[in-house]
Amino acid sequence: MQDVRFFSALSKQYAEGKLNKVELETTLFYPDSEGGQLGDRGKIGNADVLKVYRVDGGALVHEVSEPVTDTGRPIECLINGSRRLDISQQHTAQHLLSADIFSLYGYETVGFAMGEAYSSIDIDGDQWDWERSESAERMMLEQIMAKVDVEILEVPKNDIHLYPLRKKMSEKIEQLGTYRIVKIGHIDYSLCGGFHVSNLAQLGTVKIIKYEKVKSDWTRLYYLAGFRALIDYQKKTRLLHETTRSLSTSVDELNYRIHNILTEHQEAKRINRKLSENLASALYNSFRSQKATDNVKTVVEILPSEEIAKGLSGKLLHEQNTISFLLYERPKGNGYILSSTQENWNAQSIFRKVKEFLEIKGGGTEKMIQGTVEGNITAVKEKCESIIKSYFSSGGLL
Ligand SMILES: [Zn+2]
């Protein structure tokens, strides 16, 4: 679609906070969300149009990127034609999709929303599946390939009964003198004030990308038309190519492959949990055989995982006079669990002492703190050992 150019004088220009707003004496910009569709974008003089909306049914306000330079002469305005084509495609696709679903399954369209990324319709039935989507898509593509004209008919009130409208008109529309009917061949007759393509061939294709239940017995169908459908197909083809390649499988085998990987993953998790429990128990037993110094036992260890650290620290919390600092490596940095059942030196005060020497973060109780600590894990371990050792060698006076 060609860009639309027109000239208009400014009728108002003002700022609201950081937003620049312009009103024109005459405008051809279509406002956002009127009739459930997206608004136009483009330029007013030097400024980009970011948003267009109507204030209480009155003047159209154009939100712009910067103040418009006012020369006192009419200002050149430009409406982006490719965006209007996109809007027309999504909108016309809605008429076609709604008409075909009604003819195939008898469901009426009860809601419509057009978004910057995708559009959706709500239909008044809940029996839906991929096969139904695919049948509707095929029917639309046949109609698109048949290059059916899309016409706009201005019909006087008295003649409206001659047209087989898909939907009854609302009371608000009934008060009008003439009606605007969008006629798609003999496929659909609908009252509508929005933008449409002039021939179905301009839709390219219409693709349903998702469906879900809404309310108690409605279905919401998400769809794309024109370039949006092509871009989506390209994105998914590329993603599928990369996924099948990294999993060394084919598109047809992908589901089966993922199912197997998930099963293997569950099994590996189960084995890992069991091994972690066993290792925590073995470490605990070796701790119990350790001799206490000054009636206190201390453990500073680097463990293979958080799960093992949790298992061991859980057991150590039941021991009297025990201080433990269990370190483990994570994908990003080191984790630790610090616990103390020693009366004079609780986890919070050990944490404060360690913080004087190391970049440590964490939170918890008087008995246990969990968090992260910066630095080489072996160096961290040695530092913590020396802090704890010097506490006891100085008789607890740090
Ligand atoms: Zn329409």
Side-chain angles (χ1 to χ4, degrees):
M1 233 173 243
Q2 296 275 312
D3 289 346
V4 177
R5 258 169 228 280
F6 66 98
F7 288 85
S8 170
L10 286 182
S11 67
K12 236 180 182 182
Q13 170 154 234
Y14 51 98
E16 270 177 15
K18 285 183 181 169
L19 307 175
N20 300 297
K21 302 193 174 186
V22 170
E23 290 177 26
L24 298 172
E25 270 179 17
T26 46
T27 182
L28 298 177
F29 278 91
Y30 191 89
D32 292 308
S33 65
E34 209 156 279
Q37 86 173 28
L38 298 172
D40 283 323
R41 296 291 179 267
K43 292 199 90 118
I44 296 176
N46 52 300
D48 291 328
V49 176
L50 308 173
K51 212 169 158 184
V52 187
Y53 60 95
R54 198 181 293 283
V55 187
D56 300 328
L60 273 194
V61 179
H62 310 74
E63 202 179 292
V64 288
S65 58
E66 57 186 298
V68 174
T69 312
D70 191 356
T71 57
R73 290 195 302 271
I75 289 160
E76 185 176 16
C77 306
L78 185 102
I79 293 172
N80 182 327
S82 56
R83 179 179 168 93
R84 228 185 220 188
L85 172 65
D86 173 59
I87 294 168
S88 307
Q89 286 171 322
Q90 311 313 315
H91 196 114
T92 311
Q94 183 261 309
H95 287 244
L96 189 63
L97 179 60
S98 293
D100 288 355
I101 286 174
F102 184 71
S103 102
L104 285 170
Y105 308 112
Y107 291 155
E108 282 197 33
T109 295
V110 287
F112 165 55
M114 192 193 291
E116 297 289 345
Y118 52 76
S119 307
S120 67
I121 59 167
D122 290 350
I123 52 174
D124 64 352
D126 61 356
Q127 297 301 305
W128 201 259
D129 52 29
W130 285 113
E131 283 70 28
R132 288 195 161 197
S133 290
E134 286 158 9
S135 299
E137 286 165 1
R138 174 164 276 276
M139 185 168 177
M140 286 188 285
L141 187 56
E142 281 165 2
Q143 292 158 336
I144 289 166
M145 289 164 74
K147 298 182 181 167
V148 178
D149 279 330
V150 180
E151 298 161 78
I152 306 295
L153 311 176
E154 301 287 346
V155 178
K157 192 171 187 169
N158 292 338
D159 293 346
I160 195 74
H161 64 277
L162 300 172
Y163 297 88
L165 296 179
R166 176 163 45 84
K167 286 190 83 168
K168 274 189 192 161
M169 65 181 86
S170 69
E171 280 176 22
K172 203 169 97 188
I173 296 175
E174 235 168 307
Q175 291 163 4
L176 301 171
T178 47
Y179 300 110
R180 188 174 188 261
I181 294 178
V182 179
K183 173 182 180 292
I184 307 178
H186 296 293
I187 301 166
D188 192 47
Y189 294 79
S190 286
L191 293 169
C192 187
F195 291 114
H196 307 85
V197 297
S198 55
N199 188 291
L200 284 189
Q202 289 169 274
L203 295 186
T205 194
V206 183
K207 184 79 188 77
I208 297 167
I209 51 166
K210 188 174 129 180
Y211 66 89
E212 65 187 9
K213 263 191 185 175
V214 286
K215 307 234 167 139
S216 59
D217 53 1
W218 289 1
T219 305
R220 181 165 297 163
L221 303 175
Y222 297 84
Y223 71 90
L224 306 167
F227 283 112
R228 291 193 190 195
L230 176 67
I231 291 164
D232 184 66
Y233 190 37
Q234 289 170 334
K235 188 175 92 182
K236 286 171 182 168
T237 304
R238 194 181 278 221
L239 178 69
L240 206 51
H241 173 75
E242 284 163 9
T243 310
T244 50
R245 200 171 52 175
S246 68
L247 296 180
S248 308
T249 189
S250 64
V251 173
D252 291 333
E253 301 258 315
L254 183 61
N255 240 343
Y256 176 70
R257 181 91 179 89
I258 288 174
H259 173 79
N260 281 351
I261 290 171
L262 288 175
T263 309
E264 283 166 17
H265 178 68
Q266 286 302 327
E267 181 59 7
K269 265 169 76 175
R270 192 189 65 77
I271 294 170
N272 184 44
R273 206 176 302 126
K274 191 72 200 150
L275 289 174
S276 298
E277 278 167 21
N278 291 351
L279 184 55
S281 295
L283 289 167
Y284 177 62
N285 289 338
S286 107
F287 160 81
R288 294 195 76 173
S289 62
Q290 182 193 324
K291 272 197 160 185
T293 313
D294 296 336
N295 203 29
V296 177
K297 285 186 181 180
T298 61
V299 194
V300 183
E301 279 295 345
I302 299 169
L303 299 174
S305 73
E306 180 178 0
E307 195 155 12
I308 299 166
K310 274 185 173 163
L312 180 56
S313 117
K315 292 176 195 294
L316 293 176
L317 277 170
H318 296 293
E319 294 290 319
Q320 300 287 314
N321 283 325
T322 300
I323 293 170
S324 70
F325 198 99
L326 307 178
L327 290 150
Y328 50 90
E329 279 177 304
R330 304 181 315 157
K332 283 183 185 171
N334 314 309
Y336 74 89
I337 301 174
L338 166 63
S339 67
S340 171
T341 54
Q342 214 268 339
E343 272 185 18
N344 301 324
W345 212 27
N346 66 27
Q348 297 286 356
S349 49
I350 299 171
F351 176 79
R352 281 196 294 275
K353 192 73 215 165
V354 173
K355 208 173 170 139
E356 290 175 21
F357 302 94
L358 294 168
E359 287 282 320
I360 189 166
K361 283 182 195 162
T365 63
E366 299 247 295
K367 283 196 162 179
M368 195 187 90
I369 292 177
Q370 186 167 6
T372 56
V373 56
E374 303 284 322
N376 173 287
I377 198 161
T378 314
V380 169
K381 176 181 182 261
E382 281 165 10
K383 190 71 208 165
C384 291
E385 272 172 337
S386 90
I387 292 168
I388 292 170
K389 205 171 162 189
S390 62
Y391 175 85
F392 290 105
S393 61
S394 64
L397 301 169
L398 273 163

mmCIF file of all heavy atoms in Angstrom, residues 288-329:
data_model
loop_
_atom_site.group_PDB
_atom_site.id
_atom_site.type_symbol
_atom_site.label_atom_id
_atom_site.label_comp_id
_atom_site.label_asym_id
_atom_site.label_seq_id
_atom_site.Cartn_x
_atom_site.Cartn_y
_atom_site.Cartn_z
ATOM 1 N N ARG A 288 31.335 -37.429 62.413
ATOM 2 C CA ARG A 288 31.047 -37.896 63.779
ATOM 3 C C ARG A 288 32.264 -38.559 64.427
ATOM 4 O O ARG A 288 32.402 -38.560 65.643
ATOM 5 C CB ARG A 288 29.877 -38.872 63.750
ATOM 6 C CG ARG A 288 28.589 -38.172 63.322
ATOM 7 C CD ARG A 288 27.390 -38.999 63.624
ATOM 8 N NE ARG A 288 27.093 -38.957 65.058
ATOM 9 C CZ ARG A 288 26.013 -39.482 65.599
ATOM 10 N NH1 ARG A 288 25.142 -40.106 64.849
ATOM 11 N NH2 ARG A 288 25.810 -39.419 66.887
ATOM 12 N N SER A 289 33.139 -39.120 63.564
ATOM 13 C CA SER A 289 34.316 -39.780 64.132
ATOM 14 C C SER A 289 35.429 -38.763 64.453
ATOM 15 O O SER A 289 36.441 -39.100 65.055
ATOM 16 C CB SER A 289 34.832 -40.854 63.173
ATOM 17 O OG SER A 289 35.219 -40.243 61.967
ATOM 18 N N GLN A 290 35.204 -37.497 64.016
ATOM 19 C CA GLN A 290 36.214 -36.451 64.257
ATOM 20 C C GLN A 290 36.252 -36.095 65.752
ATOM 21 O O GLN A 290 35.226 -36.087 66.415
ATOM 22 C CB GLN A 290 35.832 -35.206 63.432
ATOM 23 C CG GLN A 290 36.796 -34.049 63.544
ATOM 24 C CD GLN A 290 36.175 -32.763 62.963
ATOM 25 O OE1 GLN A 290 35.451 -32.796 61.986
ATOM 26 N NE2 GLN A 290 36.448 -31.630 63.594
ATOM 27 N N LYS A 291 37.440 -35.761 66.231
ATOM 28 C CA LYS A 291 37.574 -35.378 67.639
ATOM 29 C C LYS A 291 37.276 -33.891 67.784
ATOM 30 O O LYS A 291 37.679 -33.088 66.946
ATOM 31 C CB LYS A 291 39.014 -35.652 68.117
ATOM 32 C CG LYS A 291 39.204 -37.057 68.627
ATOM 33 C CD LYS A 291 40.490 -37.115 69.442
ATOM 34 C CE LYS A 291 40.494 -38.312 70.358
ATOM 35 N NZ LYS A 291 41.669 -38.297 71.221
ATOM 36 N N ALA A 292 36.624 -33.538 68.864
ATOM 37 C CA ALA A 292 36.315 -32.128 69.082
ATOM 38 C C ALA A 292 37.513 -31.402 69.665
ATOM 39 O O ALA A 292 38.297 -31.977 70.398
ATOM 40 C CB ALA A 292 35.138 -32.007 70.039
ATOM 41 N N THR A 293 37.696 -30.120 69.247
ATOM 42 C CA THR A 293 38.733 -29.273 69.833
ATOM 43 C C THR A 293 37.991 -28.266 70.716
ATOM 44 O O THR A 293 37.057 -27.621 70.244
ATOM 45 C CB THR A 293 39.479 -28.496 68.715
ATOM 46 O OG1 THR A 293 39.811 -29.410 67.684
ATOM 47 C CG2 THR A 293 40.714 -27.810 69.244
ATOM 48 N N ASP A 294 38.407 -28.123 71.960
ATOM 49 C CA ASP A 294 37.706 -27.245 72.912
ATOM 50 C C ASP A 294 36.207 -27.537 72.941
ATOM 51 O O ASP A 294 35.386 -26.609 72.955
ATOM 52 C CB ASP A 294 37.901 -25.760 72.548
ATOM 53 C CG ASP A 294 39.354 -25.350 72.654
ATOM 54 O OD1 ASP A 294 40.089 -26.014 73.412
ATOM 55 O OD2 ASP A 294 39.730 -24.390 71.966
ATOM 56 N N ASN A 295 35.864 -28.809 72.782
ATOM 57 C CA ASN A 295 34.456 -29.205 72.824
ATOM 58 C C ASN A 295 33.670 -28.777 71.576
ATOM 59 O O ASN A 295 32.460 -28.884 71.527
ATOM 60 C CB ASN A 295 33.788 -28.645 74.092
ATOM 61 C CG ASN A 295 32.566 -29.454 74.451
ATOM 62 O OD1 ASN A 295 32.510 -30.664 74.149
ATOM 63 N ND2 ASN A 295 31.589 -28.823 75.068
ATOM 64 N N VAL A 296 34.366 -28.222 70.540
ATOM 65 C CA VAL A 296 33.674 -27.756 69.314
ATOM 66 C C VAL A 296 34.211 -28.508 68.098
ATOM 67 O O VAL A 296 35.411 -28.729 67.990
ATOM 68 C CB VAL A 296 33.892 -26.231 69.100
ATOM 69 C CG1 VAL A 296 33.236 -25.788 67.802
ATOM 70 C CG2 VAL A 296 33.329 -25.448 70.265
ATOM 71 N N LYS A 297 33.277 -28.897 67.231
ATOM 72 C CA LYS A 297 33.701 -29.523 65.979
ATOM 73 C C LYS A 297 33.470 -28.533 64.840
ATOM 74 O O LYS A 297 32.432 -27.868 64.795
ATOM 75 C CB LYS A 297 32.881 -30.787 65.714
ATOM 76 C CG LYS A 297 33.285 -31.969 66.585
ATOM 77 C CD LYS A 297 32.519 -33.196 66.124
ATOM 78 C CE LYS A 297 32.883 -34.394 66.991
ATOM 79 N NZ LYS A 297 32.142 -35.590 66.551
ATOM 80 N N THR A 298 34.433 -28.435 63.927
ATOM 81 C CA THR A 298 34.260 -27.524 62.790
ATOM 82 C C THR A 298 34.454 -28.281 61.478
ATOM 83 O O THR A 298 35.281 -29.197 61.406
ATOM 84 C CB THR A 298 35.274 -26.359 62.831
ATOM 85 O OG1 THR A 298 36.576 -26.915 62.760
ATOM 86 C CG2 THR A 298 35.117 -25.540 64.088
ATOM 87 N N VAL A 299 33.682 -27.921 60.485
ATOM 88 C CA VAL A 299 33.808 -28.516 59.149
ATOM 89 C C VAL A 299 33.802 -27.391 58.116
ATOM 90 O O VAL A 299 32.847 -26.616 58.058
ATOM 91 C CB VAL A 299 32.599 -29.421 58.790
ATOM 92 C CG1 VAL A 299 32.913 -30.276 57.575
ATOM 93 C CG2 VAL A 299 32.138 -30.237 59.949
ATOM 94 N N VAL A 300 34.860 -27.290 57.321
ATOM 95 C CA VAL A 300 34.858 -26.381 56.173
ATOM 96 C C VAL A 300 35.183 -27.245 54.962
ATOM 97 O O VAL A 300 36.258 -27.820 54.887
ATOM 98 C CB VAL A 300 35.882 -25.239 56.333
ATOM 99 C CG1 VAL A 300 35.797 -24.290 55.146
ATOM 100 C CG2 VAL A 300 35.654 -24.487 57.637
ATOM 101 N N GLU A 301 34.220 -27.390 54.063
ATOM 102 C CA GLU A 301 34.395 -28.335 52.943
ATOM 103 C C GLU A 301 33.892 -27.744 51.637
ATOM 104 O O GLU A 301 32.959 -26.945 51.630
ATOM 105 C CB GLU A 301 33.592 -29.625 53.216
ATOM 106 C CG GLU A 301 34.260 -30.623 54.142
ATOM 107 C CD GLU A 301 35.554 -31.220 53.588
ATOM 108 O OE1 GLU A 301 35.807 -31.088 52.369
ATOM 109 O OE2 GLU A 301 36.308 -31.800 54.386
ATOM 110 N N ILE A 302 34.515 -28.184 50.537
ATOM 111 C CA ILE A 302 33.975 -27.892 49.207
ATOM 112 C C ILE A 302 33.246 -29.151 48.762
ATOM 113 O O ILE A 302 33.846 -30.231 48.700
ATOM 114 C CB ILE A 302 35.089 -27.546 48.191
ATOM 115 C CG1 ILE A 302 35.854 -26.303 48.638
ATOM 116 C CG2 ILE A 302 34.496 -27.334 46.797
ATOM 117 C CD1 ILE A 302 37.122 -26.030 47.846
ATOM 118 N N LEU A 303 31.965 -29.013 48.473
ATOM 119 C CA LEU A 303 31.165 -30.182 48.090
ATOM 120 C C LEU A 303 30.765 -30.098 46.621
ATOM 121 O O LEU A 303 30.735 -29.010 46.036
ATOM 122 C CB LEU A 303 29.929 -30.269 48.992
ATOM 123 C CG LEU A 303 30.258 -30.432 50.481
ATOM 124 C CD1 LEU A 303 29.010 -30.369 51.316
ATOM 125 C CD2 LEU A 303 30.988 -31.754 50.721
ATOM 126 N N PRO A 304 30.450 -31.251 46.008
ATOM 127 C CA PRO A 304 30.151 -31.238 44.567
ATOM 128 C C PRO A 304 28.860 -30.512 44.183
ATOM 129 O O PRO A 304 28.713 -30.073 43.056
ATOM 130 C CB PRO A 304 30.033 -32.721 44.197
ATOM 131 C CG PRO A 304 30.626 -33.471 45.340
ATOM 132 C CD PRO A 304 30.472 -32.627 46.559
ATOM 133 N N SER A 305 27.883 -30.388 45.118
ATOM 134 C CA SER A 305 26.637 -29.742 44.721
ATOM 135 C C SER A 305 25.904 -29.155 45.924
ATOM 136 O O SER A 305 26.177 -29.493 47.075
ATOM 137 C CB SER A 305 25.713 -30.757 44.036
ATOM 138 O OG SER A 305 25.190 -31.645 45.005
ATOM 139 N N GLU A 306 24.950 -28.289 45.610
ATOM 140 C CA GLU A 306 24.118 -27.667 46.642
ATOM 141 C C GLU A 306 23.300 -28.725 47.380
ATOM 142 O O GLU A 306 23.099 -28.651 48.588
ATOM 143 C CB GLU A 306 23.184 -26.647 45.985
ATOM 144 C CG GLU A 306 22.277 -25.948 46.983
ATOM 145 C CD GLU A 306 21.367 -24.898 46.352
ATOM 146 O OE1 GLU A 306 21.442 -24.700 45.117
ATOM 147 O OE2 GLU A 306 20.588 -24.293 47.092
ATOM 148 N N GLU A 307 22.831 -29.705 46.616
ATOM 149 C CA GLU A 307 21.996 -30.749 47.201
ATOM 150 C C GLU A 307 22.744 -31.493 48.315
ATOM 151 O O GLU A 307 22.184 -31.763 49.385
ATOM 152 C CB GLU A 307 21.574 -31.726 46.104
ATOM 153 C CG GLU A 307 20.443 -32.610 46.549
ATOM 154 C CD GLU A 307 19.631 -33.116 45.364
ATOM 155 O OE1 GLU A 307 20.086 -32.965 44.220
ATOM 156 O OE2 GLU A 307 18.542 -33.662 45.616
ATOM 157 N N ILE A 308 24.029 -31.797 48.077
ATOM 158 C CA ILE A 308 24.843 -32.499 49.077
ATOM 159 C C ILE A 308 25.096 -31.581 50.279
ATOM 160 O O ILE A 308 25.005 -32.005 51.437
ATOM 161 C CB ILE A 308 26.170 -32.985 48.454
ATOM 162 C CG1 ILE A 308 25.847 -33.975 47.314
ATOM 163 C CG2 ILE A 308 27.068 -33.654 49.487
ATOM 164 C CD1 ILE A 308 27.020 -34.276 46.415
ATOM 165 N N ALA A 309 25.378 -30.292 49.990
ATOM 166 C CA ALA A 309 25.610 -29.325 51.081
ATOM 167 C C ALA A 309 24.360 -29.229 51.961
ATOM 168 O O ALA A 309 24.456 -29.208 53.190
ATOM 169 C CB ALA A 309 25.964 -27.966 50.496
ATOM 170 N N LYS A 310 23.187 -29.205 51.321
ATOM 171 C CA LYS A 310 21.929 -29.113 52.079
ATOM 172 C C LYS A 310 21.721 -30.357 52.932
ATOM 173 O O LYS A 310 21.324 -30.270 54.101
ATOM 174 C CB LYS A 310 20.743 -28.953 51.124
ATOM 175 C CG LYS A 310 20.489 -27.515 50.738
ATOM 176 C CD LYS A 310 19.221 -27.419 49.899
ATOM 177 C CE LYS A 310 18.876 -25.959 49.666
ATOM 178 N NZ LYS A 310 17.928 -25.791 48.574
ATOM 179 N N GLY A 311 21.993 -31.523 52.332
ATOM 180 C CA GLY A 311 21.811 -32.782 53.042
ATOM 181 C C GLY A 311 22.710 -32.847 54.273
ATOM 182 O O GLY A 311 22.259 -33.176 55.382
ATOM 183 N N LEU A 312 23.983 -32.480 54.090
ATOM 184 C CA LEU A 312 24.939 -32.571 55.200
ATOM 185 C C LEU A 312 24.622 -31.516 56.265
ATOM 186 O O LEU A 312 24.594 -31.810 57.461
ATOM 187 C CB LEU A 312 26.370 -32.397 54.663
ATOM 188 C CG LEU A 312 27.479 -32.479 55.712
ATOM 189 C CD1 LEU A 312 27.426 -33.799 56.486
ATOM 190 C CD2 LEU A 312 28.862 -32.324 55.057
ATOM 191 N N SER A 313 24.328 -30.277 55.822
ATOM 192 C CA SER A 313 24.092 -29.220 56.813
ATOM 193 C C SER A 313 22.824 -29.521 57.623
ATOM 194 O O SER A 313 22.766 -29.229 58.818
ATOM 195 C CB SER A 313 24.061 -27.865 56.114
ATOM 196 O OG SER A 313 22.842 -27.258 56.233
ATOM 197 N N GLY A 314 21.823 -30.149 56.977
ATOM 198 C CA GLY A 314 20.597 -30.545 57.686
ATOM 199 C C GLY A 314 20.924 -31.504 58.841
ATOM 200 O O GLY A 314 20.358 -31.399 59.929
ATOM 201 N N LYS A 315 21.851 -32.433 58.590
ATOM 202 C CA LYS A 315 22.233 -33.400 59.630
ATOM 203 C C LYS A 315 23.059 -32.718 60.725
ATOM 204 O O LYS A 315 22.881 -32.970 61.919
ATOM 205 C CB LYS A 315 23.052 -34.548 59.015
ATOM 206 C CG LYS A 315 22.242 -35.445 58.087
ATOM 207 C CD LYS A 315 23.142 -36.486 57.449
ATOM 208 C CE LYS A 315 22.505 -37.168 56.247
ATOM 209 N NZ LYS A 315 21.339 -37.983 56.569
ATOM 210 N N LEU A 316 23.972 -31.818 60.307
ATOM 211 C CA LEU A 316 24.870 -31.175 61.278
ATOM 212 C C LEU A 316 24.124 -30.247 62.238
ATOM 213 O O LEU A 316 24.579 -30.016 63.357
ATOM 214 C CB LEU A 316 25.968 -30.402 60.543
ATOM 215 C CG LEU A 316 26.963 -31.256 59.753
ATOM 216 C CD1 LEU A 316 27.937 -30.375 58.988
ATOM 217 C CD2 LEU A 316 27.729 -32.201 60.679
ATOM 218 N N LEU A 317 22.974 -29.727 61.777
ATOM 219 C CA LEU A 317 22.195 -28.839 62.645
ATOM 220 C C LEU A 317 21.656 -29.567 63.881
ATOM 221 O O LEU A 317 21.279 -28.942 64.860
ATOM 222 C CB LEU A 317 21.035 -28.209 61.861
ATOM 223 C CG LEU A 317 21.395 -26.960 61.035
ATOM 224 C CD1 LEU A 317 20.256 -26.582 60.117
ATOM 225 C CD2 LEU A 317 21.749 -25.781 61.942
ATOM 226 N N HIS A 318 21.628 -30.895 63.815
ATOM 227 C CA HIS A 318 21.155 -31.671 64.970
ATOM 228 C C HIS A 318 22.287 -31.988 65.948
ATOM 229 O O HIS A 318 22.053 -32.547 67.006
ATOM 230 C CB HIS A 318 20.515 -32.993 64.506
ATOM 231 C CG HIS A 318 19.291 -32.767 63.681
ATOM 232 N ND1 HIS A 318 18.133 -32.235 64.204
ATOM 233 C CD2 HIS A 318 19.060 -32.958 62.368
ATOM 234 C CE1 HIS A 318 17.231 -32.123 63.236
ATOM 235 N NE2 HIS A 318 17.782 -32.557 62.107
ATOM 236 N N GLU A 319 23.517 -31.623 65.591
ATOM 237 C CA GLU A 319 24.671 -31.877 66.460
ATOM 238 C C GLU A 319 24.910 -30.664 67.357
ATOM 239 O O GLU A 319 24.724 -29.524 66.931
ATOM 240 C CB GLU A 319 25.921 -32.120 65.592
ATOM 241 C CG GLU A 319 25.869 -33.386 64.754
ATOM 242 C CD GLU A 319 25.975 -34.638 65.622
ATOM 243 O OE1 GLU A 319 26.781 -34.641 66.566
ATOM 244 O OE2 GLU A 319 25.238 -35.600 65.346
ATOM 245 N N GLN A 320 25.388 -30.914 68.571
ATOM 246 C CA GLN A 320 25.722 -29.822 69.492
ATOM 247 C C GLN A 320 27.088 -29.233 69.121
ATOM 248 O O GLN A 320 27.919 -29.925 68.553
ATOM 249 C CB GLN A 320 25.841 -30.373 70.932
ATOM 250 C CG GLN A 320 24.573 -31.031 71.466
ATOM 251 C CD GLN A 320 23.507 -30.011 71.794
ATOM 252 O OE1 GLN A 320 23.805 -29.001 72.420
ATOM 253 N NE2 GLN A 320 22.281 -30.253 71.346
ATOM 254 N N ASN A 321 27.304 -27.959 69.462
ATOM 255 C CA ASN A 321 28.627 -27.329 69.345
ATOM 256 C C ASN A 321 29.333 -27.606 68.010
ATOM 257 O O ASN A 321 30.473 -28.051 67.981
ATOM 258 C CB ASN A 321 29.538 -27.810 70.495
ATOM 259 C CG ASN A 321 29.171 -27.083 71.769
ATOM 260 O OD1 ASN A 321 28.805 -25.911 71.727
ATOM 261 N ND2 ASN A 321 29.234 -27.792 72.881
ATOM 262 N N THR A 322 28.621 -27.351 66.937
ATOM 263 C CA THR A 322 29.189 -27.642 65.616
ATOM 264 C C THR A 322 29.104 -26.403 64.720
ATOM 265 O O THR A 322 28.072 -25.739 64.671
ATOM 266 C CB THR A 322 28.408 -28.799 64.953
ATOM 267 O OG1 THR A 322 28.515 -29.923 65.799
ATOM 268 C CG2 THR A 322 28.941 -29.127 63.573
ATOM 269 N N ILE A 323 30.206 -26.117 64.065
ATOM 270 C CA ILE A 323 30.214 -25.015 63.090
ATOM 271 C C ILE A 323 30.559 -25.606 61.727
ATOM 272 O O ILE A 323 31.544 -26.348 61.612
ATOM 273 C CB ILE A 323 31.263 -23.946 63.464
ATOM 274 C CG1 ILE A 323 30.841 -23.252 64.767
ATOM 275 C CG2 ILE A 323 31.437 -22.930 62.343
ATOM 276 C CD1 ILE A 323 31.906 -22.344 65.355
ATOM 277 N N SER A 324 29.730 -25.321 60.725
ATOM 278 C CA SER A 324 30.075 -25.835 59.391
ATOM 279 C C SER A 324 29.943 -24.741 58.341
ATOM 280 O O SER A 324 29.066 -23.874 58.414
ATOM 281 C CB SER A 324 29.177 -27.024 59.023
ATOM 282 O OG SER A 324 27.868 -26.592 58.803
ATOM 283 N N PHE A 325 30.863 -24.766 57.409
ATOM 284 C CA PHE A 325 30.855 -23.827 56.286
ATOM 285 C C PHE A 325 31.029 -24.684 55.032
ATOM 286 O O PHE A 325 32.113 -25.135 54.720
ATOM 287 C CB PHE A 325 32.007 -22.825 56.435
ATOM 288 C CG PHE A 325 31.824 -21.602 55.609
ATOM 289 C CD1 PHE A 325 31.325 -20.432 56.167
ATOM 290 C CD2 PHE A 325 32.125 -21.611 54.255
ATOM 291 C CE1 PHE A 325 31.148 -19.291 55.398
ATOM 292 C CE2 PHE A 325 31.934 -20.475 53.481
ATOM 293 C CZ PHE A 325 31.447 -19.307 54.053
ATOM 294 N N LEU A 326 29.874 -24.948 54.358
ATOM 295 C CA LEU A 326 29.897 -25.880 53.229
ATOM 296 C C LEU A 326 29.803 -25.101 51.925
ATOM 297 O O LEU A 326 28.824 -24.411 51.673
ATOM 298 C CB LEU A 326 28.741 -26.874 53.366
ATOM 299 C CG LEU A 326 28.673 -27.604 54.725
ATOM 300 C CD1 LEU A 326 27.471 -28.518 54.785
ATOM 301 C CD2 LEU A 326 29.959 -28.397 54.986
ATOM 302 N N LEU A 327 30.833 -25.221 51.119
ATOM 303 C CA LEU A 327 30.915 -24.478 49.855
ATOM 304 C C LEU A 327 30.589 -25.395 48.674
ATOM 305 O O LEU A 327 30.859 -26.597 48.729
ATOM 306 C CB LEU A 327 32.331 -23.954 49.662
ATOM 307 C CG LEU A 327 32.770 -22.838 50.608
ATOM 308 C CD1 LEU A 327 34.258 -22.911 50.834
ATOM 309 C CD2 LEU A 327 32.363 -21.501 50.033
ATOM 310 N N TYR A 328 30.010 -24.818 47.647
ATOM 311 C CA TYR A 328 29.776 -25.596 46.414
ATOM 312 C C TYR A 328 29.827 -24.649 45.218
ATOM 313 O O TYR A 328 29.508 -23.473 45.343
ATOM 314 C CB TYR A 328 28.434 -26.346 46.461
ATOM 315 C CG TYR A 328 27.258 -25.476 46.851
ATOM 316 C CD1 TYR A 328 26.524 -24.801 45.872
ATOM 317 C CD2 TYR A 328 26.889 -25.324 48.177
ATOM 318 C CE1 TYR A 328 25.460 -23.998 46.232
ATOM 319 C CE2 TYR A 328 25.831 -24.514 48.545
ATOM 320 C CZ TYR A 328 25.118 -23.851 47.569
ATOM 321 O OH TYR A 328 24.068 -23.044 47.923
ATOM 322 N N GLU A 329 30.252 -25.180 44.065
ATOM 323 C CA GLU A 329 30.330 -24.344 42.863
ATOM 324 C C GLU A 329 28.987 -24.379 42.137
ATOM 325 O O GLU A 329 28.337 -25.417 42.071
ATOM 326 C CB GLU A 329 31.449 -24.834 41.946
ATOM 327 C CG GLU A 329 32.801 -24.327 42.420
ATOM 328 C CD GLU A 329 33.958 -24.839 41.590
ATOM 329 O OE1 GLU A 329 34.076 -26.062 41.473
ATOM 330 O OE2 GLU A 329 34.716 -24.020 41.088
#
